[in-house]
């Protein structure tokens, strides 16, 4: 009997145990180098190679242990514990601080201040943005007296900032709701993701090709919702809505839109950076910066996907682009869904291997207008960021608590108007004013 055959007969491996070990080793391989770099950076100044290597091993051991303990204690649907994420943040900051000091010759104070400012900027909330450089500066002043190196300054600033932010701003702004679930488990999410890094105005066409269904571009007479009756609920009666407002939602392509953006001054620099670094390269959520850009006009169309030509529409993609350049402004997939007795509008904005969903609750506005609002306590209204596994199509969804919006559409003097207001962490930062006119 060949040796390989005897081995297979005499030893049957435990496949589950093998998979668990392989998964564990993969986790260690992903976090271990981060700890090793941090340990080496902290010991790099004036130390021997032996001590640097020992520090690297110690750093890897600490980060691996922290990650393993946090994962073992994590409940289903939870993200790793805050303390483990703080350790990881400090480990990431250490080599960056070492490189900054090495390249610029800066001392602990500027390195710590910049590290704190960067950590605060990632917190997004204006209060956190202001807290970051203040904590970093305080840490840098303290280390100036002891002669700490750049790696220590950056790591200490980030850790001190995150501990301070957790103590002062305790409410989480990103909450994990579901991990690796099927779309039916999170019906308030629109799981539309882009398979490429660029979304663009041809997204619905590529989605139809991927689904193997019929694509119809620029449908002549269709709305972003099939019928407002799908939104009927205890606090919303479609019969109260002005016929012109109802026509706009059910036959959107009969209308043309003029947009006037009103940005708050404090958000303009951040939006300019976001637009340059993310919106334009993604071909998504690229709102005009000012009235001069908006005057070039907006082209609006709805592309659809159905099972067969002339069949029931399953996907409605409202695509808005600059009239002169064709540059994408918004690519949104509009759906409705019901939870118990109440209807909602859910809009999914495709991102690479992910989607951002706004789920809004309808209510009647005095005078026949319609309000769609995410700021409704309880229920499903809100904003959600979802990762879509490209192989299994399972979803991992988190609620974005710090974002809110309200869309108010109403008739005014024979024409339709709309105000689309946005808030971040309770601060208003943008209002889009629309004039909606019937096409000739």
């Amino acid at each position: 009997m060949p040796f390989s055959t005897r081995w297979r007969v005499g030893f049957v491996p435990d496949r589950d145990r093998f998979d668990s070990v392989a998964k564990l080793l993969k986790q260690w391989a992903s976090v271990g180098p981060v700890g090793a770099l941090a340990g080496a950076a902290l010991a790099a100044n004036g130390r021997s190679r032996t001590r640097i290597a020992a520090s690297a091993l110690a750093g890897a051991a600490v980060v691996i242990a922290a990650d393993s303990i946090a994962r073992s204690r994590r409940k289903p649907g939870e993200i790793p514990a805050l303390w483990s994420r703080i350790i990881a943040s400090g480990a990431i900051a250490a080599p960056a601080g070492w490189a900054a000091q090495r390249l610029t010759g800066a001392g602990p104070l500027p390195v710590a201040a910049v590290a704190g400012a960067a950590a605060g900027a990632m917190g997004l909330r204006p209060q956190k943005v202001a807290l970051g450089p203040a904590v970093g500066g305080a840490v840098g002043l303290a280390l100036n007296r002891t002669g700490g190196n750049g790696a220590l300054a950056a790591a200490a600033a980030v850790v001190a900032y995150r501990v301070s932010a957790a103590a002062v701003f305790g409410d989480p702004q990103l909450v994990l709701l579901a991990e690796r679930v099927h779309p039916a488990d999170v019906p308030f999410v629109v799981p539309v993701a882009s398979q490429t890094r660029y979304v663009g105005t041809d997204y619905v066409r590529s989605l139809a090709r991927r689904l193997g269904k019929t694509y119809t571009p620029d449908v002549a007479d269709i709305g972003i919702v099939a019928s407002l009756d799908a939104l009927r609920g205890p606090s919303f009666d479609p019969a109260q809505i002005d016929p012109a407002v109802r026509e706009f939602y059910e036959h959107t392509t009969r209308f043309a839109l003029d947009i006037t953006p009103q940005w708050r001054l404090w958000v303009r620099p951040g939006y300019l950076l976001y637009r340059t670094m993310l919106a334009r390269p993604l071909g998504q959520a690229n709102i005009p910066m000012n009235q001069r850009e908006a005057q070039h006009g907006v082209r609006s169309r709805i592309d659809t996907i159905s099972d067969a030509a002339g069949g029931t529409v399953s996907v409605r993609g409202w695509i808005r682009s600059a009239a002169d350049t064709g540059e994408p402004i918004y690519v949104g997939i509009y759906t409705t869904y019901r939870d118990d007795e109440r209807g909602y509008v859910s809009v999914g904005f495709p991102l690479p291997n992910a989607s951002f969903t706004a789920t809004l609750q309808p209510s009647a506005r005095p005078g026949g207008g319609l309000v769609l609002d995410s700021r409704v306590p309880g229920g499903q209204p809100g904003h959600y960021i979802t990762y879509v596994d490209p192989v299994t199509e399972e979803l991992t969804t988190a609620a974005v608590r710090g974002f809110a919006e309200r869309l108010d559409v109403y008739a005014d003097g024979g024409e339709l108007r709309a105000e689309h207001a946005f808030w971040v962490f309770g601060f208003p930062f943008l209002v889009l004013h629309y004039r909606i006119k019937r096409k000739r």
Side-chain angles (χ1 to χ4, degrees):
M1 180 182 294
F3 175 78
S4 60
T5 305
R6 292 200 311 271
W7 176 257
R8 284 197 299 268
V9 172
F11 174 73
V12 179
D14 187 336
R15 185 55 186 254
D16 291 340
R17 181 175 297 176
F18 176 81
D19 289 342
S20 298
V21 172
K23 184 178 180 181
L24 186 62
L25 292 175
K26 185 177 179 180
Q27 290 174 0
W28 288 0
S30 65
V31 300
V34 175
L37 282 174
L42 290 169
N45 288 6
R47 303 287 182 89
S48 67
R49 292 184 178 181
T50 302
R51 299 189 72 175
I52 291 175
S55 183
L57 289 174
V62 168
V63 173
I64 287 174
D67 182 75
S68 300
I69 293 171
R71 288 181 181 274
S72 66
R73 294 180 177 180
R74 185 179 63 168
K75 297 178 181 179
E78 287 185 344
I79 59 177
L82 176 63
W83 61 267
S84 70
R85 288 182 278 131
I86 291 176
I87 291 175
S89 299
I92 292 171
W98 174 85
Q101 187 178 49
R102 180 91 173 181
L103 294 173
T104 66
L109 177 56
V111 170
V114 171
M122 284 189 244
L124 297 179
R125 194 190 303 196
Q127 302 96 314
K128 289 188 174 183
V129 172
L131 180 65
V135 172
V139 170
L141 284 173
L143 291 177
N144 254 350
R145 300 168 186 167
T146 61
N149 62 27
L152 178 61
V158 170
V159 169
Y161 160 75
R162 294 210 60 183
V163 171
S164 302
V168 177
F169 312 110
D171 53 321
Q173 297 301 308
L174 194 67
V175 179
L176 186 65
L177 298 181
E179 187 174 24
R180 305 192 67 84
V181 299
H182 297 291
D185 298 322
V186 282
F188 46 86
V189 166
V190 183
V192 286
S194 174
Q195 300 294 308
T196 63
R197 293 185 177 182
Y198 187 78
V199 180
T201 57
D202 280 338
Y203 171 76
V204 179
R205 182 196 302 272
S206 63
L207 178 62
R209 188 182 302 118
R210 193 164 74 244
L211 297 175
K213 296 185 178 182
T214 301
Y215 165 71
T216 307
D218 198 3
V219 179
D221 187 14
I222 195 171
I224 53 177
V225 299
S227 173
L228 287 186
D229 292 333
L231 307 179
R232 186 184 303 276
S235 59
F236 177 68
D237 182 3
Q240 299 177 0
I241 302 303
D242 187 290
V245 174
R246 181 167 190 148
E247 183 183 10
F248 168 71
Y249 276 95
E250 297 177 350
H251 302 276
T252 310
T253 53
R254 295 178 183 176
F255 298 85
L257 287 75
D258 290 328
I259 180 174
T260 301
Q262 182 183 353
W263 291 92
R264 295 295 178 109
L265 290 177
W266 65 268
V267 81
R268 284 175 177 266
Y271 176 70
L272 185 60
L273 180 63
Y274 154 81
R275 183 184 189 186
T276 304
M277 301 296 293
L278 289 176
R280 280 180 167 163
L282 282 176
Q284 177 67 291
N286 180 23
I287 304 169
M289 186 69 186
N290 50 46
Q291 180 61 25
R292 179 176 55 82
E293 292 183 3
Q295 285 176 346
H296 294 292
V298 175
R299 184 175 185 270
S300 172
R301 78 175 198 259
I302 294 180
D303 295 355
T304 65
I305 298 176
S306 55
D307 293 331
T312 302
V313 172
S314 57
V315 174
R316 299 164 188 260
W318 192 12
I319 301 163
R320 282 159 282 182
S321 57
D324 56 344
T325 65
E327 186 177 29
I329 296 176
Y330 266 128
V331 179
I333 306 300
Y334 282 70
T335 67
T336 60
Y337 96 97
R338 299 192 64 81
D339 176 27
D340 297 328
E341 298 180 349
R342 193 182 302 276
Y344 300 90
V345 173
S346 286
V347 188
F349 299 96
L351 301 170
N353 291 327
S355 72
F356 183 78
T357 300
T359 295
L360 311 172
Q361 182 171 311
S363 63
R365 182 184 192 273
L370 172 60
V371 174
L372 297 174
D373 202 338
S374 70
R375 302 174 305 162
V376 181
Q380 307 299 344
H383 294 82
Y384 308 93
I385 186 75
T386 299
Y387 168 73
V388 183
D389 190 295
V391 178
T392 65
E393 297 187 350
E394 293 176 320
L395 310 181
T396 298
T397 297
V400 184
R401 298 279 175 81
F403 198 84
E405 66 179 292
R406 182 179 188 269
L407 175 60
D408 185 359
V409 181
Y410 57 94
D412 180 32
E415 67 177 16
L416 293 178
R417 302 271 186 145
E419 273 81 44
H420 199 170
F422 299 86
W423 293 261
V424 60
F425 309 118
F427 291 89
F429 71 93
L430 170 66
V431 179
L432 299 176
H433 301 275
Y434 289 98
R435 296 184 66 182
I436 304 170
K437 298 181 180 180
R438 188 182 300 275
K439 295 178 182 177
R440 294 182 180 178

